[in-house]
Amino acid sequence: MSDIAHSSVTLDGRFAREFKEMAIPWRAQEAPDPHLLVLNEDLAAELGLDPVFLRSPEGLLLLTGNAVPAEASPVAQAYAGHQFGWYAPRLGDGRALLLGEIAHADGQLRDIHLKGSGRTPFARNGDGQAVVGPMLREYIVSESMHALNIPTTRSLAVVATGRPVQREALLPGAVLTRVAGSHLRVGSFQYARSADDTGLLRRLADYAIARHHRAAAGAGNRYLALFQAVVSAQATLLARWMLVGFVHGVMNTDNMTISGETIDYGPCAFMDGFDPAVVYSSIDESGRYSYRNQPVVAEWNLARLAESVLPLLHDDQEQAVDLAVEALSGFRPQYSDAWSAGMNAKLGLRQGLDAELTSPLVDELMTLLQESRADYTSFFRHLGTAARGQAEAARGQVLDPARFDAWVRRWRALAPDADAMDRVNPVYIPRNHLVEEALAAATGGNTGPLERLMDALAAPFDERPGLERYAAPAPESFGPYRTFCGT
Ligand code: AMP
Ligand code: MG
């Protein structure tokens, strides 16, 4: 471990300084033979980091935490969390580190964080390692979500460490450099609450307000306003996931942010055939985190956040509970409004149309899609073509063409705007078979498929010739899809 004196990299240690109770100073393990697999040059530029430097041997030392600026103070962050409904009082970064904060071009701070950087005091039985496949999966899916305009943590780089890691086989180890608005989680507040230190809880809430929800600072009850802001951010985030067919897979409270960014891409997947009950994660046996349950689970997680901040809401506990319940009751209507507005946009309908007209139309379409198991993403894109008068492609995806034709007649009577539809219905999403193909090739040392996939995903709404295979559903031979926790 050495210091780097690269003038362009300045890492603050604000969280490390202000939350000593929740941050254990720690260092990354040595990467014996670091080798850059992918670098996000656009994001580097936004952070004021020089891509030429990041690609250099010194840069790889930074990206693996093996050398950090002299003033930096990397820490493993403490948090608690409900995992599949069961409370774990001490989770924390078992194989991750917060390197520090850096100023983004937009003027806000970003966390620079490593995943796969070795065991920490929070590692429990884990080996502290991450392997190439799951780290590249987070890179691909998080950057795709960003391109789809969905709030998310970002991925700066994945570096193969040169260390073999024991999984189902010996696999190449890797470190992901993650960039986030912050790593404050619902589980961070659960941890502070269980420490039974209202001062700590208040400081954490103030920190969250300063970094993410500044408007709350001016409210009469700033902590209630913070909670309301998190409820709103999560309600709109969940609507966006649902509209694009994203299944997170492991919505534990430690995997839900205060900022409203999507975080911790493990066994996630984009839905192909429309099936509200779909579950991809191999460990989710009860379907707790199925596609359709996601908004309900988000609300459940927010109730855990409410419990955690209760002492800040009011000195009188009963009144605090009333305030929390009232604020939480805002989740459902905000989610519904965001989802309905988003679905109207997907259908090219003007906002402000009478819901008595649009709701039955939407409901019927959803039934038709579900009965047909139509490929969710390509169906909506083809519907844009149907708005232009050529309905064949969309009609070919449903089982009952006559019902579809009747539906199209009613829908077209509302004058859908095909160009507006193309701006919200993506052509390219990280389809499961394409992600697997890119991961397998990169694990074997060939990053070509990964680079081509990233090119397609970077502009998801612009259909481009030559990229047809990136728009097409999985071949039949791909079979039912299962994802595994990002270990
Ligand atoms: P996740 O499911 O990735 O959100 O992780 C849940 C918890 O397990 C977090 O506290 C992680 O830091 C920890 N964890 C996951 N994998 C490992 C590993 N291989 N070694 C140590 N800790 C891990
Ligand atoms: Mg996690």
Side-chain angles (χ1 to χ4, degrees):
M1 176 78 210
S2 54
D3 289 341
I4 44 173
H6 195 273
S7 57
S8 70
V9 185
T10 312
L11 280 172
D12 198 355
R14 199 176 148 193
F15 187 89
R17 257 192 329 272
E18 294 183 20
F19 296 94
K20 295 208 163 60
E21 306 91 332
M22 296 180 65
I24 299 181
W26 205 253
R27 295 286 161 157
Q29 74 180 355
E30 196 204 339
D33 183 19
H35 169 73
L36 186 67
L37 291 175
V38 58
L39 176 68
N40 189 337
E41 298 211 351
D42 291 344
L43 179 58
E46 291 169 31
L47 296 167
L49 299 172
D50 176 4
V52 176
F53 163 69
L54 290 176
R55 288 182 184 281
S56 72
E58 227 190 3
L60 295 195
L61 290 178
L62 175 67
L63 291 171
T64 53
N66 284 195
V68 293
E71 79 287 353
S73 44
V75 291
Q77 289 180 292
Y79 49 85
H82 277 88
Q83 299 182 302
F84 290 90
W86 300 95
Y87 185 61
R90 189 182 145 101
L91 289 171
D93 292 332
R95 54 162 172 174
L97 290 177
L98 172 64
L99 281 189
E101 302 92 14
I102 200 166
H104 185 273
D106 66 11
Q108 311 289 320
L109 285 184
R110 295 290 192 285
D111 280 6
I112 306 292
H113 176 99
L114 304 180
K115 195 162 168 178
S117 50
R119 297 192 83 231
T120 76
F122 298 110
R124 293 169 291 154
N125 298 323
D127 61 6
Q129 311 300 315
V131 296
V132 164
M135 295 308 99
L136 285 177
R137 171 193 285 280
E138 172 155 345
Y139 186 101
I140 295 167
V141 184
S142 65
E143 285 305 309
S144 165
M145 293 284 270
H146 175 73
L148 291 162
N149 303 317
I150 299 174
T152 177
T153 63
R154 306 284 309 272
S155 296
L156 180 61
V158 178
V159 178
T161 59
R163 180 191 305 275
V165 175
Q166 189 64 53
R167 290 290 180 263
E168 60 278 10
L170 264 193
L171 295 171
V175 171
L176 167 78
T177 312
R178 176 156 79 184
V179 176
S182 85
H183 283 78
L184 295 181
R185 307 152 188 265
V186 169
S188 313
F189 279 84
Q190 291 180 289
Y191 186 90
R193 174 76 176 98
S194 66
D196 211 19
D197 175 350
T198 310
L200 172 63
L201 193 60
R202 184 171 291 117
R203 276 190 288 123
L204 195 65
D206 285 332
Y207 184 79
I209 289 171
R211 279 193 77 169
H212 303 300
H213 302 292
R214 298 237 175 101
N221 185 338
R222 56 193 280 143
Y223 304 116
L224 179 63
L226 168 63
F227 179 62
Q228 287 166 328
V230 180
V231 168
S232 297
Q234 287 293 340
T236 50
L237 178 67
L238 265 289
R240 288 176 183 219
W241 287 4
M242 299 301 279
L243 289 162
V244 81
F246 175 73
V247 183
H248 182 282
V250 59
M251 290 179 68
N252 295 333
T253 57
D254 51 302
N255 292 338
M256 182 184 260
T257 59
I258 299 302
S259 64
E261 289 178 341
T262 311
I263 196 170
D264 270 355
Y265 294 85
C268 60
F270 276 69
M271 186 161 61
D272 28 38
F274 185 65
D275 172 11
V278 75
V279 176
Y280 292 105
S281 168
S282 61
I283 59 168
D284 188 2
E285 283 159 17
S286 68
R288 180 182 172 93
Y289 299 140
S290 67
Y291 171 75
R292 70 173 160 217
N293 276 4
Q294 295 187 119
V296 178
V297 170
E299 188 188 40
W300 190 90
N301 288 350
L302 290 166
R304 308 289 79 75
L305 177 62
E307 288 164 2
S308 304
V309 298
L310 225 42
L312 304 180
L313 299 185
H314 203 285
D315 291 337
D316 178 80
Q317 192 178 332
E318 244 172 74
Q319 294 198 50
V321 170
D322 288 347
L323 290 170
V325 168
E326 164 74 25
L328 190 57
S329 74
F331 180 85
R332 289 185 185 208
Q334 291 183 73
Y335 169 79
S336 292
D337 288 352
W339 188 86
S340 298
M343 188 49 75
N344 280 358
K346 285 176 83 65
L347 295 179
L349 302 177
R350 276 176 290 122
Q351 302 294 342
L353 279 178
D354 190 350
E356 284 187 28
L357 216 55
T358 56
S359 291
L361 208 58
V362 167
D363 291 348
E364 240 173 86
L365 184 67
M366 290 296 145
T367 309
L368 203 59
L369 285 184
Q370 188 177 345
E371 285 170 6
S372 311
R373 291 281 167 105
D375 180 77
Y376 184 78
T377 302
S378 61
F379 178 84
F380 277 100
R381 189 69 186 196
H382 289 150
L383 215 48
T385 313
R388 297 185 174 95
Q390 292 112 45
E392 294 72 29
R395 188 198 285 115
Q397 292 182 275
V398 298
L399 289 178
D400 188 344
R403 239 166 83 213
F404 176 73
D405 289 341
W407 183 91
V408 166
R409 273 193 297 279
R410 282 167 55 209
W411 168 60
R412 289 196 62 195
L414 298 175
D417 178 340
D419 292 338
M421 291 175 75
D422 286 351
R423 290 194 291 272
V424 294
N425 292 318
V427 192
Y428 311 113
I429 52 154
R431 290 182 175 276
N432 304 316
H433 65 293
L434 299 173
V435 173
E436 292 302 324
E437 172 190 83
L439 300 188
T443 301
N446 172 15
T447 53
L450 169 71
E451 282 152 25
R452 289 190 287 280
L453 177 59
M454 292 312 297
D455 279 344
L457 297 176
F461 303 104
D462 300 343
E463 190 164 8
R464 283 154 283 162
L467 296 182
E468 290 74 16
R469 72 182 293 269
Y470 295 94
E476 291 284 333
S477 61
F478 188 63
Y481 190 55
R482 276 273 161 272
T483 54
F484 298 90
C485 245
T487 48

